Amino acid sequence: MSELSHYRNIGIFAHVDAGKTTTTERILKLTGKIHKSGEVHDGESTTDFMEQEAERGITIQSAATTCFWKDHRMNIIDTPGHVDFTVEVYRSLKVLDGGIGVFCGSGGVEPQSETNWRYANESEVARLILVNKLDRMGADFYRVVGQVEKVLGAKPLVMTLPIGIEDDFVGVVDVLSKKAYIWDETGQPENYVVEDVPADMVDKVEEYHEKLIETALEVDDELLMAYMEGEQPTVEQIKQCIRDGTRTLAFFPTYCGSAFKNKGIQLVLDAVVDYLPSPTEVDAQPLTDAETGEPTGEVALVSTEEPLRALAFKIMDDRFGALTFIRIYSGVLNKGDTVLNSFTGKTERIGRMVEMHANDRTELSTAQAGDIIAVVGMKNVQTGHTLCDPKHPCTLEPMIFPEPVISIAVKPKDKGGSEKMGVAIGKMVAEDPSFQVETDEDSGETILKGMGELHLDIKVDILKRTYGVELEVGQPQVAYRETITQTVEDSYTHKKQSGGSGQYGKIDYRIKPGEPGTGFTFSSSVVGGNVPKEFFPAVEKGFKSMMDQGVLAGFPVLDVEVELYDGGYHAVDSSAVAFEIAAKGAFRQSIPKAGPQLIEPIMKVDVFTPEDNVGDVIGDLNRRRGMIKDQEAGVTGVRIKADVPLSEMFGYIGHLRTITSGRGQFSMEFSHYMPCPANVAETVIAEEKEKQAAAKK
C-alpha cells in the first residue's frame, strides 16, 4: 500500500481554449506516461478520445488518469471548460483535493473561468494558478495576475516570473530560489539550464521575492515577528507556510509557462507535490442521513483502517462496457468484495477494477482510501450514489445538479429507431445528470432537456454516431415557469357524503409569493388542533402535487409559500385523503386570484467582440431584451456582460459571427427567472393552449 501523504488528487480546470488538455498532455509526457504528446488541434490528444471532442477541439467528458512525479502518485482529472458542461466540472471538484486553474496569457480570466473558480470556492478546493500560453501574441502575465485579483477576488502568490514574452518567451525565474530556468529551441521539456537571473530582471525578482516571503509568513505569526526583527526564515519554513496558506485558500501559488512549448511545466508539477494537499489534509467528507439528506455530524475519515466509504461520481460507457468512476474516501476495496449501495439498498459484487489512463487501463486487485478508480460493469449505480461496507451502511453528501433550462422534441426518422433510441438515451441519462428526458403525455413526443443549445446538439450527435439513431429534431423550447404576485387568504372545504364513511376536510390558508429560487415552501401555524397534526403532510402533499401545472399555460409553478393557519375536521369522516383533495381544490381555487404570472429563464451572457463592433453587438443585445451589466476593454477586444432572456438567444452564435466577421465569441449560463413582458406572455400562453388543444384531438 502506498503512503497516503504521497497522493495528490487534482483537477485541471479553466475556460475553453486556455490549454487545459495540452497542459495535461505535457504532465503525462513529463511523468513518462506517454512518449509522444498528441496535440489538441490535430485532434490527437490522449484525454479527448470521443469523436465529438476531437472534432470540436473541446473536452466534453472529464477524463481520469494516473501518473507519478518524484515518487508521488497523481490522479488527474481533465475537466471540460465549456459552460454547457459545467456539471462535469462540478462533480469533478467534488472528488478532488486540489486543482490547477489554467488561464490564457492573452485571454486572461474569461467568463467560464469565473464560474469554475466560483464552484471551486464553494467546494473549498485548494488551487495553484498557471498562466499559460505566454508565447502567444498579446500575452501579458502581469495583467492576468491583476485580473485574478480584480475579477476573481483571489490573492495570487507569484512564484515564477516570465523571461521574455510572446515570441521571446524563453523561460521562467523561480522567485523563491532566485534561479532562472531557460529552455532551448528544441521544444523538449527536459532541455533546460538553470542560470542566474538575467541582469535586467534582478530588481523585479527582488521585489517579488520580498512580496512572496511577506505574504507567506502571514500564515505564521511567530515567523512573521522574527522576520520583522530582521531574522530570515529558512526555505523549508517558507515552503511550509506556502503549503498551509494554499490549503486554507489564503492565497494561490501562481506560475507562468507555455504548455504547448513545454516551458515551465516542471515547476508546476513540483508545486503540486510541495503545496497541494494530500487526501488526509483536506476536510473529510460529511456523512448524511439517508432519509432526510441532513448531515449526521459524522465524517468519512481518510484511512485504510475505517470501513469502506466511496462515492460514484461519474458513469461512462465505452467499448469495454459501463465504467463507474469512484473516489474511495475511507477503507479498502478488493476485487470480489460485496458492497452496499446505500441509495438503492442493494448490494453488488465488485468484478473488475481498473486504473484509468485516459483511454487505456490497468487491472487492479485492490484499491484504498484516497484512490480514484473505475469499476467495470456495475448495474444499478448512478452518479452521486454511495458505496459502502454492508456492515456499516452510510451515505456520503450527495451532489446537486442544476435544472435544465432548454428542451427539444425529437423523434426517430424510421420506425425501428424508437427502441434503439430508448436504450441509448437511458445510457446517456445515467452518464450526465444535467441531461433529462421525458415523454410528452399529450403528443407522445420524446423531449430532451439540457443546459444549452450546444449541450443538446452534442447529445443528438452522440445518438447519431455512437448509437446509429437518426433523429428529427424540433425547435428548441424554453423552460417557462409560472409564479404568483399577490397574497391570498382563502378557505376551502372538501365534503362528500355518500353511503358508508364520508370525506371531510376544511382548510384555511394563505398563499403568498416566495423568495426567488425557493420553489415551494409549506408551513403551518394551526393552534388548538382544529386540523390535527397528522393531516399536515397530506395538505402539503396536495398543494405540492399541483405545483407541476400552473393555471396560465400548465407550466410548473415556482416560488410559492403556503401557510395553513386554521381549518376544521370531523372525528369520523376526516382522513389524510380528504385533506389532500381539499388542498388540491384550494390550489385550483386560489392561484388564479393570486396574480399568476409567467416567468422566463434569464441567462448570464458574456460576449467577446472586437472593438469596432461593440456598438452593433450592444444594439443587438438590446433588441433581444438584454440588460447590459458591464463592459471591459481587453488587449484584443471588449467583453460585454449582459442578462438576456433565453428565448431571445437561439441561434445567437450565427448572428454574432455575422456582426463581427467571425471574430466574436460568447458563452452563457442560467442565472435566474424573471417575469415575462405582457406581450411575450400572451404569445407563449396562446401557443401552449393551441398545442394542448391539438394534442387532445
Side-chain angles (χ1 to χ4, degrees):
M1 290 283 177
S2 41
E3 177 50 37
L4 273 173
S5 62
H6 284 206
Y7 273 59
R8 296 290 179 274
N9 289 321
I10 60 170
I12 296 186
F13 40 86
H15 188 79
V16 181
D17 274 356
K20 296 179 299 300
T21 304
T22 307
T23 305
T24 310
E25 284 288 319
R26 293 309 185 254
I27 289 176
L28 295 181
K29 183 159 194 299
L30 276 169
T31 54
K33 262 289 182 175
I34 44 180
H35 299 298
K36 166 186 171 293
S37 300
E39 299 305 346
V40 177
H41 50 251
D42 300 336
E44 278 182 359
S45 69
T46 318
T47 47
D48 286 355
F49 47 80
M50 285 169 61
E51 284 176 34
Q52 290 81 356
E53 296 182 305
E55 218 171 77
R56 298 174 193 234
I58 60 176
T59 306
I60 297 170
Q61 290 182 320
S62 347
T65 152
T66 303
C67 57
F68 292 85
W69 181 255
K70 299 202 167 161
D71 78 7
H72 281 63
R73 173 197 180 105
M74 294 187 191
N75 294 321
I76 300 178
I77 296 188
D78 176 28
T79 61
H82 198 284
V83 61
D84 285 359
F85 307 105
T86 41
V87 54
E88 289 277 350
V89 178
Y90 178 78
R91 65 164 152 211
S92 302
L93 282 167
K94 181 97 182 128
V95 298
L96 297 170
D97 306 322
I100 303 175
V102 181
F103 299 106
C104 170
S106 62
V109 176
E110 293 168 287
Q112 199 50 49
S113 9
E114 282 178 57
T115 306
N116 292 346
W117 195 263
R118 198 175 66 235
Y119 279 156
N121 283 345
E122 285 167 13
S123 305
E124 297 183 3
V125 171
R127 278 148 284 169
L128 307 174
I129 292 173
L130 167 62
V131 179
N132 189 24
K133 300 198 175 186
L134 287 181
D135 54 314
R136 286 204 23 194
M137 281 294 291
D140 180 343
F141 176 68
Y142 301 98
R143 185 175 53 94
V144 180
V145 170
Q147 281 184 331
V148 169
E149 292 178 302
K150 190 178 130 212
V151 181
L152 301 178
K155 191 173 196 177
L157 179 70
V158 176
M159 303 293 292
T160 62
L161 296 175
I163 304 173
I165 202 74
E166 294 182 358
D167 286 348
D168 303 326
F169 175 64
V170 293
V172 301
V173 173
D174 178 353
V175 176
L176 189 55
S177 66
K178 300 192 203 171
K179 287 283 179 233
Y181 290 70
I182 295 176
W183 278 263
D184 65 16
E185 285 311 295
T186 59
Q188 291 307 315
E190 50 281 345
N191 294 356
Y192 66 92
V193 288
V194 181
E195 309 180 345
D196 289 333
V197 174
D200 60 346
M201 286 182 72
V202 170
D203 294 349
K204 191 159 222 170
V205 171
E206 202 47 58
E207 174 200 334
Y208 274 90
H209 181 78
E210 237 167 79
K211 215 194 247 176
L212 187 150
I213 292 178
E214 280 166 19
T215 310
L217 295 187
E218 279 170 17
V219 179
D220 186 320
D221 293 343
E222 283 177 26
L223 286 175
L224 188 61
M225 294 307 291
Y227 179 69
M228 294 298 196
E229 285 159 17
E231 197 180 312
Q232 283 295 327
T234 67
V235 171
E236 284 318 305
Q237 286 172 326
I238 298 171
K239 280 191 162 177
Q240 189 52 50
C241 287
I242 298 175
R243 191 174 173 80
D244 293 343
T246 305
R247 197 176 74 226
T248 54
L249 310 190
F251 46 69
F252 302 91
T254 301
Y255 291 80
C256 57
S258 160
F260 180 55
K261 293 276 169 62
N262 275 316
K263 292 173 185 168
I265 304 301
Q266 283 96 332
L267 292 132
V268 178
L269 281 173
D270 290 347
V272 169
V273 168
D274 288 344
Y275 307 128
L276 285 182
S278 76
T280 51
E281 290 170 315
V282 293
D283 292 342
Q285 281 286 327
L287 299 177
T288 55
D289 183 302
E291 295 299 309
T292 61
E294 295 299 311
T296 58
E298 288 185 77
V299 295
L301 283 177
V302 179
S303 145
T304 50
E305 306 299 311
E306 290 277 310
L308 173 75
R309 291 171 182 145
L311 185 74
F313 67 95
K314 181 177 171 59
I315 291 172
M316 209 168 96
D317 218 52
D318 74 356
R319 57 180 195 268
F320 304 102
L323 285 176
T324 306
F325 282 89
I326 61 174
R327 159 81 197 255
I328 303 175
Y329 286 108
S330 45
V332 177
L333 183 62
N334 297 309
K335 196 169 160 171
D337 280 359
T338 297
V339 297
L340 171 71
N341 176 343
S342 63
F343 183 84
T344 60
K346 295 198 168 86
T347 53
E348 287 206 35
R349 196 162 164 277
I350 300 286
R352 292 169 54 212
M353 299 193 301
V354 292
E355 185 179 279
M356 296 297 289
H357 167 61
N359 212 11
D360 302 328
R361 55 192 55 195
T362 326
E363 296 277 340
L364 299 173
S365 57
T366 177
Q368 62 170 25
D371 277 331
I372 293 179
I373 59 156
V375 180
V376 184
M378 296 197 93
K379 292 287 181 292
N380 300 313
V381 178
Q382 293 196 339
T383 302
H385 286 184
T386 300
L387 301 176
C388 57
D389 179 339
K391 294 200 234 11
H392 299 90
C394 69
T395 305
L396 288 157
E397 191 180 46
M399 305 181 178
I400 303 151
F401 295 111
E403 284 295 308
V405 288
I406 172 175
S407 62
I408 50 176
V410 296
K411 56 173 192 269
K413 283 194 177 158
D414 49 50
K415 286 239 164 50
S418 60
E419 198 170 304
K420 246 165 67 179
M421 176 177 86
V423 173
I425 287 179
K427 286 184 177 173
M428 287 161 65
V429 171
E431 287 180 13
D432 178 356
S434 64
F435 172 59
Q436 295 176 7
V437 177
E438 59 183 48
T439 307
D440 186 325
E441 284 160 23
D442 301 329
S443 64
E445 291 178 311
T446 301
I447 311 284
L448 307 185
K449 300 176 161 189
M451 303 308 296
E453 272 187 290
L454 179 73
H455 191 197
L456 292 178
D457 261 4
I458 289 192
K459 295 297 179 201
V460 170
D461 201 41
I462 292 173
L463 278 166
K464 181 172 153 185
R465 276 204 241 185
T466 312
Y467 298 105
V469 182
E470 292 273 352
L471 295 178
E472 282 176 28
V473 180
Q475 282 299 312
Q477 299 296 322
V478 177
Y480 289 102
R481 295 286 179 261
E482 298 180 21
T483 190
I484 55 170
T485 53
Q486 292 150 17
T487 301
V488 172
E489 210 163 283
D490 216 339
S491 174
Y492 188 90
T493 309
H494 169 65
K495 226 184 353 212
K496 187 166 158 228
Q497 302 310 123
S498 63
S501 64
Q503 290 181 344
Y504 181 85
K506 172 175 188 285
I507 53 175
D508 296 345
Y509 54 89
R510 282 183 205 96
I511 291 185
K512 58 180 186 200
E515 287 294 307
T518 52
F520 169 71
T521 40
F522 176 79
S523 61
S524 83
S525 54
V526 177
V527 284
N530 287 347
V531 177
K533 273 211 172 62
E534 66 260 30
F535 297 139
F536 294 173
V539 176
E540 177 173 2
K541 188 179 164 197
F543 276 112
K544 199 169 181 174
S545 67
M546 298 296 283
M547 298 288 291
D548 292 343
Q549 276 209 319
V551 294
L552 293 173
F555 292 114
V557 185
L558 291 184
D559 307 335
V560 172
E561 277 182 35
V562 175
E563 182 197 347
L564 176 68
Y565 67 87
D566 205 358
Y569 78 107
H570 185 285
V572 179
D573 291 351
S574 283
S575 64
V577 172
F579 276 99
E580 192 180 322
I581 295 172
K584 289 180 174 174
F587 180 93
R588 280 192 290 267
Q589 168 180 298
S590 304
I591 292 284
K593 303 181 197 170
Q597 184 178 45
L598 201 65
I599 50 179
E600 61 180 345
I602 304 293
M603 307 302 276
K604 202 167 105 189
V605 179
D606 213 306
V607 187
F608 177 82
T609 163
E611 268 177 38
D612 312 347
N613 312 111
V614 173
D616 298 340
V617 170
I618 289 181
D620 181 58
L621 287 171
N622 285 333
R623 273 196 298 284
R624 295 171 186 271
R625 314 206 313 267
M627 289 269 302
I628 308 294
K629 290 281 193 195
D630 187 25
Q631 53 186 54
E632 180 187 326
V635 181
T636 47
V638 179
R639 275 177 59 189
I640 301 164
K641 294 184 176 184
D643 285 350
V644 192
L646 173 64
S647 58
E648 305 285 345
M649 290 298 292
F650 291 135
Y652 179 64
I653 187 68
H655 235 81
L656 179 67
R657 285 190 178 140
T658 314
I659 302 175
T660 59
S661 336
R663 286 161 60 208
Q665 292 170 333
F666 88 105
S667 77
M668 66 177 181
E669 63 178 312
F670 171 70
S671 171
H672 57 279
Y673 274 95
M674 281 283 285
C676 288
N679 58 337
V680 176
E682 279 165 22
T683 318
V684 173
I685 292 169
E687 279 174 8
E688 273 307 301
K689 297 227 159 114
E690 253 174 59
K691 250 205 245 165
Q692 286 158 12
K696 283 193 179 112
K697 284 178 191 161

